[in-house]
Amino acid sequence: MMGCCGCCSALRPRYKRLVDNIFPVNPEDGLVKSNMEKLTFYSLRSPEKLDRIGEYLYQRASKDINRKRYKFVEIAMEAMDLLLMACHAQILNLFVESFLRMVQKLMEDVNPTLQIMATNSFVRFANIEEDTPSYHRRYDFFISKFSSMCYGNNDDLELRDSIRMAGIKGLQGVIRKTVSDDLVENIWEKQHMEKIVPSLLYNMQSSSGSKIVDQEATPSTPPVLAEAVLRELVSRASFGHIRAVLKPLLMHLDNHKLWVPNRFAIDTFRIVMISIQPQYSYTVVETLMSHLDQNLASSPKTRTSLAVVLSKIIAIAAGESVGPSALDIINNLLTHLKTSVSTQHESTPEETQYQEALINALGEFANHHPDYQKIEIMLFIMNTVPDPSKKNKGDQLLQNILLKSLLKVGTQYRTVSFEKAFPVSFLQPLLKMARASSVAIRVIVMQIFQQLLDRHQNQHLLNMISVTNYPTLTVEQASRSDILFTHKHGSNILQAILDGMSQENHMEVLKSSYNTAGLMVVEMACSETVQEFLLFVLSVQQVAVAEVELSPKHRCNLHSIAISILILIGRCTGIGPLVEYAEKVIQSRTEDAPYLLPPLLDNEKPAPSTLNTNQPHLMIDKLAVAECLQQAGLEHNRVQTGTPYSLNQTDMSAHRHSWVDTSAPRNSIVDANYDAESVSSSPGVQKRSLPVDFNFESMKRVLAEPTEANKREAREKQAAIGRTFRETAFEDLVRRTEPQHDVLQNKLNEIFNSLSAERQINCGNQLMTAAGATVVDGANSKMNQQRPIYENNFPELFFY
């Protein structure tokens, strides 16, 4: 019997005998290394036998698995690994099918040790680069099995982590094996990504808190390894595949309610944004916004968490978003804000948090763009703000939200040139909003101005209205560009500030208005622009004196603001006489009317029973201010003879039904029955502000001033003449001017003829005296024969 077995063994193929020899009699002894070397040498010399060797090893391992002889199964798997590593890339395909069947067989068993061993073998196989593509190889089973291992819940924590680690490594091996080869299984298909991505996220969320750190050389825990694999997966995704990763990610966060709290969601998306190829980062933002659209019906907390996640990652995408893509993101954020406002029946803390999260996302996105794009973004937002004439609650709420967004972007902008920070298309609607009826909106507009005006971080100092010196105030000489901007737009901005602070006695409005005006003084005031700011100071005082509907507290607060800005102008420009005069007025008010000095009178402080605004020494006198400028050697005519700003009657009509001319004498008692209503209400009659000194010369000067219609007509005529000479042909110009040439020539002839006749008379008298009548006749006949040079007509060429 034994001889028969030996005879049969001798007749068996050599590769089977070599395979049998690697197995020891006692499985505890492990693989027979010497016989394994013989098998390896044989497989390399006879590569055509490799597939048969693999098939035979698979058959033996299958029998051992069925008989529960797991030690022999481990030896067979070890032999498979050694042969796999020894094979050359050219002949690998001959062996791989048997190898994968062996791995699958081991993974189908319930023994976790075999599963882990098979997974490790698969990972080693995945790291081998194959030269020859495989058209028929599929990894469906491995993806499913590795994913299921990621959810291992064995009671033994150490074994559980080992199984999960093996599953994550297996998924990593599948990714590496398939991503680089377009001819094999498409790993990016929906059914695969919906297994791989949630498996990785499940392990990441099991940690106490995922943190974005540098990848470890050898990840030792499932969460760290899962994060590393997710990074690798995202980094390998192309533009067409990145959404395949993001959709199951969002679905996992939804299904497991991981948006509230959103710490894990923030960390996960940061990992995605850092790992993704930079040119595709915009896709992540776009996908997250689309998901926010789909969750509009969800709770405000969920939407807020989504918006917060967006604000945390949007800055990373901002660096790669330019042009239309940047405006598209801004437009989407503004659309969400508008939707929130339109669907908000009542203001709730949750909805407010959601809106603030969107505004923060907008600010974070804008912060990572260059300044010229920030201006475009602010202009884009400004164009979406409803007109201030719309005063219903919904429109005012939308105005408030959009202006907050604008303020958030403005906070990120660093102003260098006011001309660039305030283009006309942006400045004009902003000035309209500065006169809005809503207090909150006017305050936000002033804050926007402050952010764009403050180039030297003085805003926090000017939050306090004071007549004392600001010791840490940073003042720099105004540039030529600043001066030009002040001449061009300064009066419009100051007019809007005056209109806004005159509407009502609201502390926030008055303080923000003072802050804005103060920043303009600090940044722009100099010898060439000081008169503009002094006229503004006089205008504030004039409104406080003349506007009949102001409350006593409001009048006192305007007087306080006027004197505070006056002394600030003197100190910023270094005009000594102006500072001395302001201090003199302050001293007088301190003694006789302290309520006309800061701090402002709020609702808690009682109003003074009487206001001493008719006493000259307590008021700012324009002639005295002009004299201060004259003493400093500066131009002062505009302050002395110019008209202070008056309240904008169009914008203030909703708040003022009685109008008193703001140019009434400061030192006189204002007559409330002054007939200004009839003038301003008469159609076609333009109301003129009269100068302070009512004398004949000043009245004549005012009447001699051309009207706005005449000025406009003169400008249009001048422009038409300019266009004519630029665009008309030379011959046409000659024809048009020929009649004028004739008139000119005739006039010259007439003048010269009269001169010639006079000279002839004088010459004749002289000749008659000297030589008699005969000589005179001869001289006259000779003179008539000569034609004077001035009677020659000049050619047309000399007219041009």
Side-chain angles (χ1 to χ4, degrees):
M1 190 71 176
M2 292 295 293
C4 179
C5 290
C7 180
C8 293
S9 175
L11 294 175
R12 297 178 71 190
R14 185 182 178 191
Y15 73 88
K16 287 189 177 182
R17 284 185 278 126
L18 291 173
V19 170
D20 291 338
N21 291 337
I22 67 173
F23 292 94
V25 177
N26 183 9
E28 299 297 334
D29 295 338
L31 182 69
V32 180
K33 297 294 182 66
S34 58
N35 292 336
M36 186 64 215
E37 292 176 359
K38 294 177 183 179
L39 177 61
T40 303
F41 181 72
Y42 174 80
S43 63
L44 292 175
R45 288 191 60 187
S46 305
E48 69 278 1
K49 302 291 185 179
L50 194 57
D51 58 336
R52 299 183 186 182
I53 295 173
E55 180 64 24
Y56 184 60
L57 277 171
Y58 168 72
Q59 291 175 1
R60 283 204 58 155
S62 298
K63 291 178 182 179
D64 291 332
I65 289 174
N66 294 333
R67 297 171 184 174
K68 308 295 182 182
R69 299 196 299 183
Y70 294 125
K71 288 295 181 179
F72 286 113
V73 176
E74 293 176 9
I75 292 172
M77 193 70 250
E78 184 180 356
M80 277 279 197
D81 290 341
L82 292 173
L83 288 174
L84 186 71
M85 302 304 294
C87 288
H88 299 296
Q90 293 84 355
I91 59 175
L92 193 60
N93 270 336
L94 300 174
F95 182 69
V96 166
E97 293 304 319
S98 302
F99 172 80
L100 292 178
R101 286 176 65 194
M102 172 80 96
V103 172
Q104 181 173 342
K105 187 68 176 178
L106 267 63
M107 294 184 68
E108 289 173 348
D109 195 81
V110 294
N111 189 336
T113 304
L114 294 184
Q115 294 178 10
I116 295 172
M117 178 187 295
T119 302
N120 294 334
S121 297
F122 182 85
V123 171
R124 284 191 287 269
F125 158 71
N127 291 328
I128 298 175
E129 294 185 6
E130 298 183 68
D131 293 340
T132 308
S134 176
Y135 300 95
H136 58 282
R137 196 182 301 162
R138 298 185 63 83
Y139 297 96
D140 300 57
F141 168 80
F142 298 102
I143 295 173
S144 300
K145 185 60 180 179
F146 292 142
S147 298
S148 66
M149 291 172 67
C150 292
Y151 297 94
N153 57 354
N154 198 289
D155 293 336
D156 185 350
L157 294 181
E158 186 176 350
L159 181 58
R160 185 195 68 182
D161 287 349
S162 299
I163 294 173
R164 290 187 180 184
M165 289 279 287
I168 298 169
K169 288 179 180 178
L171 290 177
Q172 186 180 35
V174 174
I175 293 169
R176 290 179 178 177
K177 202 65 181 174
T178 56
V179 166
S180 59
D181 193 348
D182 295 333
L183 299 176
V184 298
E185 181 81 11
N186 185 3
I187 195 70
W188 305 108
E189 290 183 0
K190 179 181 178 182
Q191 65 268 24
H192 298 326
M193 284 292 109
E194 288 181 351
K195 296 175 183 176
I196 295 174
V197 174
S199 302
L200 300 175
L201 295 175
Y202 177 78
N203 283 275
M204 290 169 59
Q205 76 187 65
S206 65
S207 64
S208 58
S210 178
K211 296 182 180 179
I212 300 177
V213 295
D214 294 336
Q215 295 185 29
E216 298 178 12
T218 54
S220 57
T221 61
V224 176
L225 180 60
E227 180 179 323
V229 175
L230 182 63
R231 289 173 182 270
E232 184 175 348
L233 178 66
V234 173
S235 65
R236 292 173 178 266
S238 63
F239 179 75
H241 296 146
I242 188 61
R243 293 182 191 275
V245 180
L246 296 175
K247 287 182 179 179
L249 191 155
L250 293 169
M251 189 184 304
H252 180 83
L253 295 174
D254 289 340
N255 295 339
H256 294 268
K257 296 180 172 56
L258 296 173
W259 292 112
V260 182
N262 60 358
R263 184 67 213 166
F264 176 73
I266 293 173
D267 289 339
T268 302
F269 271 96
R270 277 180 173 168
I271 291 170
V272 171
M273 294 300 291
I274 291 173
S275 305
I276 197 172
Q277 299 180 46
Q279 64 270 28
Y280 305 148
S281 58
Y282 169 72
T283 309
V284 182
V285 176
E286 191 179 52
T287 305
L288 194 54
M289 281 188 172
S290 177
H291 193 69
L292 185 57
D293 284 335
Q294 299 168 10
N295 283 270
L296 290 179
S298 59
S299 66
K301 285 187 177 180
T302 302
R303 285 183 282 120
T304 301
S305 295
L306 269 163
V308 170
V309 174
L310 189 62
S311 67
K312 298 295 184 182
I313 69 165
I314 201 169
I316 303 174
E320 304 297 327
S321 298
V322 294
S325 64
L327 292 180
D328 189 35
I329 290 178
I330 296 297
N331 189 39
N332 285 338
L333 290 170
L334 293 178
T335 302
H336 285 296
L337 280 171
K338 292 177 182 178
T339 304
S340 173
V341 173
S342 62
T343 57
Q344 183 179 355
H345 301 293
E346 58 181 11
S347 180
T348 61
E350 292 82 4
E351 199 69 31
T352 302
Q353 289 177 2
Y354 169 60
Q355 294 165 358
E356 289 178 353
L358 290 174
I359 292 172
N360 289 334
L362 189 61
E364 288 294 329
F365 181 73
N367 188 33
H368 289 73
H369 282 79
D371 283 344
Y372 74 91
Q373 278 195 311
K374 290 176 187 174
I375 290 294
E376 293 296 327
I377 292 172
M378 287 192 287
L379 181 58
F380 184 81
I381 297 173
M382 193 71 234
N383 290 334
T384 64
V385 179
D387 192 87
S389 60
K390 298 180 179 180
K391 298 177 183 177
N392 63 67
K393 186 177 180 181
D395 286 325
Q396 286 191 351
L397 185 57
L398 185 57
Q399 290 169 1
N400 189 295
I401 293 297
L402 293 177
L403 286 173
K404 281 184 178 178
S405 305
L406 183 57
L407 175 61
K408 191 69 177 181
V409 179
T411 305
Q412 316 295 343
Y413 182 77
R414 293 293 172 264
T415 303
V416 177
S417 166
F418 293 127
E419 196 69 36
K420 293 179 180 178
F422 294 101
V424 176
S425 55
F426 173 64
L427 181 60
Q428 288 181 346
L430 195 61
L431 292 177
K432 281 186 179 180
M433 297 306 301
R435 300 179 173 96
S437 58
S438 170
V439 169
I441 291 174
R442 296 206 305 275
V443 171
I444 294 173
V445 172
M446 288 297 104
Q447 291 173 347
I448 293 171
F449 272 111
Q450 291 160 21
Q451 290 295 335
L452 298 178
L453 288 170
D454 186 18
R455 293 184 299 192
H456 300 92
Q457 288 70 53
N458 293 317
Q459 179 186 359
H460 67 286
L461 298 174
L462 296 172
N463 283 332
M464 181 181 66
I465 302 176
S466 174
V467 292
T468 59
N469 191 16
Y470 297 98
T472 58
L473 197 68
T474 304
V475 181
E476 188 175 315
Q477 181 65 32
S479 65
R480 190 63 193 165
S481 173
D482 299 340
I483 295 172
L484 292 175
F485 178 83
T486 308
H487 289 325
K488 188 185 267 188
H489 301 294
S491 60
N492 294 331
I493 300 175
L494 294 172
Q495 178 72 65
I497 295 173
L498 178 65
D499 294 340
M501 72 167 64
S502 303
Q503 291 187 30
E504 55 192 293
N505 186 39
H506 194 280
M507 291 295 103
E508 251 342 275
V509 174
L510 294 177
K511 289 179 180 178
S512 60
S513 298
Y514 169 80
N515 195 318
T516 306
L519 285 172
M520 290 186 68
V521 170
V522 173
E523 296 290 344
M524 305 178 193
C526 63
S527 59
E528 298 182 49
T529 61
V530 65
Q531 293 190 88
E532 191 73 61
F533 294 107
L534 291 175
L535 283 176
F536 171 72
V537 170
L538 295 171
S539 303
V540 175
Q541 177 178 269
Q542 190 60 34
V543 170
V545 171
E547 188 60 24
V548 295
E549 289 192 357
L550 297 183
S551 66
K553 285 185 179 180
H554 198 177
R555 295 178 190 276
C556 293
N557 290 336
L558 291 180
H559 282 298
S560 299
I561 291 174
I563 191 63
S564 300
I565 296 178
L566 177 66
I567 194 165
L568 181 65
I569 293 171
R571 287 167 177 161
C572 290
T573 56
I575 303 175
L578 190 61
V579 175
E580 293 176 5
Y581 173 72
E583 289 176 345
K584 180 180 178 182
V585 175
I586 293 170
Q587 182 62 33
S588 300
R589 291 186 181 185
T590 304
E591 296 172 356
D592 300 336
Y595 45 81
L596 299 181
L597 293 172
L600 301 185
L601 301 177
D602 55 19
N603 295 329
E604 297 179 357
K605 297 178 181 179
S609 56
T610 57
L611 299 181
N612 296 330
T613 57
N614 296 325
Q615 298 184 23
H617 70 288
L618 298 178
M619 295 293 101
I620 303 170
D621 184 62
K622 69 184 290 185
L623 296 179
V625 171
E627 186 178 349
C628 291
L629 294 180
Q630 188 177 13
Q631 291 176 8
L634 301 176
E635 180 64 35
H636 63 282
N637 290 335
R638 191 176 171 203
V639 172
Q640 185 172 359
T641 61
T643 305
Y645 304 147
S646 60
L647 293 181
N648 190 317
Q649 194 161 347
T650 302
D651 294 315
M652 298 295 293
S653 58
H655 310 278
R656 301 280 181 265
H657 302 287
S658 174
W659 181 255
V660 179
D661 188 5
T662 58
S663 58
R666 263 179 203 80
N667 299 334
S668 65
I669 300 174
V670 179
D671 184 3
N673 297 323
Y674 179 71
D675 192 19
E677 292 267 358
S678 60
V679 175
S680 59
S681 61
S682 302
V685 176
Q686 184 178 5
K687 180 180 175 182
R688 290 182 176 275
S689 299
L690 298 177
V692 173
D693 43 345
F694 290 103
N695 53 35
F696 178 75
E697 289 298 328
S698 62
M699 298 284 285
K700 186 171 69 172
R701 195 162 50 245
V702 170
L703 293 175
E705 291 180 358
T707 63
E708 289 296 326
N710 292 339
K711 291 180 180 178
R712 185 167 56 252
E713 183 180 354
R715 286 195 298 268
E716 292 174 355
K717 185 175 180 181
Q718 185 178 4
I721 294 173
R723 284 195 302 271
T724 300
F725 278 90
R726 281 196 303 270
E727 301 171 3
T728 309
F730 181 73
E731 292 76 9
D732 294 338
L733 289 175
V734 171
R735 277 196 301 275
R736 290 188 183 187
T737 54
E738 277 180 353
Q740 297 177 6
H741 301 161
D742 294 338
V743 171
L744 177 62
Q745 189 65 50
N746 294 336
K747 196 68 177 177
L748 288 172
N749 290 338
E750 181 180 348
I751 294 172
F752 288 136
N753 286 335
S754 63
L755 293 173
S756 175
E758 182 180 354
R759 194 169 72 173
Q760 287 178 5
I761 293 172
N762 293 334
C763 291
N765 291 335
Q766 292 174 2
L767 289 172
M768 282 190 295
T769 303
T774 304
V775 177
V776 170
D777 293 337
N780 286 339
S781 62
K782 184 176 181 180
M783 187 178 296
N784 290 334
Q785 292 175 359
Q786 293 178 353
R787 188 176 184 182
I789 186 66
Y790 55 79
E791 293 184 6
N792 294 326
N793 291 332
F794 292 98
E796 290 181 352
L797 177 64
F798 289 94
F799 287 106
Y800 296 93

